[in-house]
Amino acid sequence: MPDASAWETMLVFAIALVIAVIATFIVSAIASIIVRAAARRRDWAGILIRRARWPFRTVLLIGGVWGSIALAFPGVAWRPPVDHAFLIAMIAAGAWLVAQLFLFLADVGVSRYRMDVADNRVARRVHTQFQIVRRLVVVVIAILAVGAILLTFPGVRAVGASVLASAGIASIVAGLAAQSVLANVFAGIQIAFSEAIRVDDVVVVEEEWGRIREITLTYVVVMTWDERTVVLPCTYFTTKPFQNWTKYHSALIGSVELDVDWRISTDAMREELDRLLEGNELFDGRTKVLQVTDATGGLVRVRVLVSAADSAALWDLRCLVREELVEWLREQDAAALPLQRVLVGAEPARERSGEVRDVEEPVEVAEPREEAAAEREPRSEPKPVTGSRAGLFSGTADGEQRASEFTQAIPVQPPSEDDPSRRAGGPDGLEGKGEGGGAPDGSAN
């Protein structure tokens, strides 16, 4: 028959355990009410409760159970290993609580910077840095917790001196073995604070266009335009060149190129471009340029430059402009469709010898009467260039500002009095303004 004292001990333990559990939930509820009352009409109270509720309850519960055992079973032989187990559990729960409190502070700091606004460059920088720092701090807290748990074992403390003595050799061996891992970790930290890329940046990597979805200590996740996931090591962004389309701003300029016949009316084409872009929500109104950039091989290359607020809108705008201009050429200016001209009858000797030329392209032959009439008609005078036509680097305030970005950084030394170019070229010895190496071909081709 069990001893009466054993029943009393078990009863005391059960009562103490129930009291500890009830006290845990009561204290947790009171703390939640106090936090909500102190931070009424603010969001951080909900974040704190969501982050710290269960770690706080776990610490209270472990402490209550440990205290119940100490109260009910004082001085028993099996207490030391049980106390050691509870000490380890308390260290782990405390590390969990500390980590969650730090994540709460990080969430509060990040919540002040919204990502769903038009100009979110600062928000993307803050989110990226906090994303790296929070992972790094959590890893450090976990390592410290594991170290504190190991130090609770007497054997580990005894060999601590020898471990510290051989720490230099061990660190060299570990560094060589984990060279790639450590390189990625340091690259991740460098990315976070150098702002080469940020969360939600639009990048072109490995000929893939997408957005930065996640940045960790060892790898970066890029979500492509067709919803594929590209995972790259952090060292990729510190050792290889890549394109970041939202480094300073999200607005871009894109190009649309068309090869047309020499008879194209560029003025009519500009009018059609104005009609297309007027009131279009994809067009941001910054850049609207139509220029002839090439005229070789029997064709004329017309390039249209348009701008949009971001890369997604620019892609749709370029496709729309291309489709509408092709439709306009086919229906309104069919004479400007690309043609290949072949001069027939230029070499009578070959015709008499029976040589025949195969012509696969559309042939345009001028009638003699039409040529004679054209020769009799007086030729119209060429239109004077008034300078009012807008170009990428001229004609508008934005164009002049864009040109200054290419030219103002190049120092121009004034010529000396005996410089022949000064006498030949005018007061400043220059024939015209520099164009910074020519017009670009569009940043979003």
Side-chain angles (χ1 to χ4, degrees), residues 67-141:
S68 301
I69 293 176
L71 179 63
F73 304 100
V76 295
W78 48 264
R79 277 286 306 280
V82 172
D83 291 342
H84 190 201
F86 274 101
L87 178 61
I88 294 174
M90 183 63 73
I91 293 174
W96 184 20
L97 178 60
V98 172
Q100 290 298 325
L101 289 176
F102 172 78
L103 293 178
F104 154 72
L105 295 177
D107 290 342
V108 172
V110 168
S111 63
R112 298 179 180 179
Y113 300 90
R114 298 178 55 184
M115 296 281 288
D116 55 346
V117 295
D119 188 9
N120 59 355
R121 184 170 63 90
V122 177
R124 287 186 281 112
R125 181 193 66 191
V126 173
H127 278 256
T128 301
Q129 293 177 352
F130 270 94
Q131 194 175 86
I132 297 296
V133 170
R134 66 196 301 172
R135 285 185 170 90
L136 187 61
V137 171
V138 169
V139 170
V140 171
I141 291 175

Side-chain angles (χ1 to χ4, degrees), residues 145-434:
V146 171
I149 291 173
L150 292 177
L151 290 177
T152 60
F153 294 91
V156 174
R157 290 198 301 267
V159 300
S162 60
V163 170
L164 291 176
S166 60
I169 299 176
S171 61
I172 295 175
V173 174
L176 293 176
Q179 184 177 3
S180 60
V181 176
L182 294 177
N184 280 302
V185 170
F186 286 113
I189 298 174
Q190 179 181 349
I191 288 173
F193 292 96
S194 66
E195 299 185 35
I197 56 173
R198 295 158 300 211
V199 175
D200 207 39
D201 268 348
V202 179
V203 296
V204 178
V205 290
E206 297 293 321
E207 299 182 356
E208 298 284 354
W209 170 50
R211 290 182 178 273
I212 301 294
R213 176 61 61 86
E214 184 180 3
I215 301 177
T216 68
L217 286 175
T218 55
Y219 63 88
V220 177
V221 179
V222 179
M223 186 66 68
T224 62
W225 64 273
D226 53 355
E227 298 183 353
R228 288 179 293 115
T229 301
V230 179
V231 181
L232 298 169
C234 289
T235 53
Y236 178 91
F237 295 91
T238 58
T239 58
K240 294 184 179 181
F242 61 93
Q243 299 181 34
N244 188 344
W245 289 5
T246 53
K247 170 66 175 176
Y248 299 106
H249 51 76
S250 60
L252 293 171
I253 298 176
S255 65
V256 175
E257 293 187 341
L258 298 174
D259 290 334
V260 294
D261 191 73
W262 287 66
R263 292 175 294 182
I264 183 67
S265 173
T266 53
D267 290 334
M269 203 170 187
R270 285 190 181 91
E271 293 177 0
E272 178 64 15
L273 179 63
D274 293 338
R275 186 191 67 82
L276 293 177
L277 297 180
E278 184 178 359
N280 194 314
E281 60 181 9
L282 299 175
F283 179 56
D284 64 356
R286 293 186 303 114
T287 302
K288 178 183 60 175
V289 177
L290 189 148
Q291 292 174 321
V292 177
T293 59
D294 202 357
T296 58
L299 296 174
V300 171
R301 177 161 297 178
V302 176
R303 184 178 68 182
V304 178
L305 297 182
V306 291
S307 59
D310 52 58
S311 57
L314 181 63
W315 172 263
D316 290 339
L317 180 61
R318 291 172 59 216
C319 292
L320 175 64
V321 169
R322 186 182 295 111
E323 293 172 6
E324 294 293 337
L325 288 181
V326 167
E327 190 75 17
W328 177 80
L329 284 172
R330 186 173 64 249
E331 296 183 355
Q332 303 296 330
D333 197 358
L337 294 177
L339 294 175
Q340 292 292 334
R341 292 176 173 82
V342 178
L343 184 62
V344 179
E347 298 178 6
R350 292 188 179 183
E351 292 180 359
R352 287 194 298 269
S353 63
E355 182 177 351
V356 181
R357 179 180 299 177
D358 294 334
V359 181
E360 297 181 357
E361 305 293 341
V363 179
E364 181 181 75
V365 181
E367 296 292 336
R369 294 181 180 178
E370 295 180 356
E371 291 181 355
E375 292 178 357
R376 289 194 300 270
E377 293 179 356
R379 296 183 179 180
S380 59
E381 295 295 330
K383 297 180 180 179
V385 179
T386 61
S388 61
R389 179 175 294 170
L392 180 61
F393 296 105
S394 61
T396 61
D398 290 339
E400 298 294 339
Q401 175 65 26
R402 193 178 296 111
S404 67
E405 294 177 359
F406 285 87
T407 58
Q408 65 182 359
I410 304 175
V412 179
Q413 299 294 336
S416 59
E417 294 295 335
D418 56 351
D419 190 351
S421 63
R422 179 178 180 86
R423 296 191 296 271
D428 55 357
L430 299 175
E431 296 181 357
K433 181 187 292 185

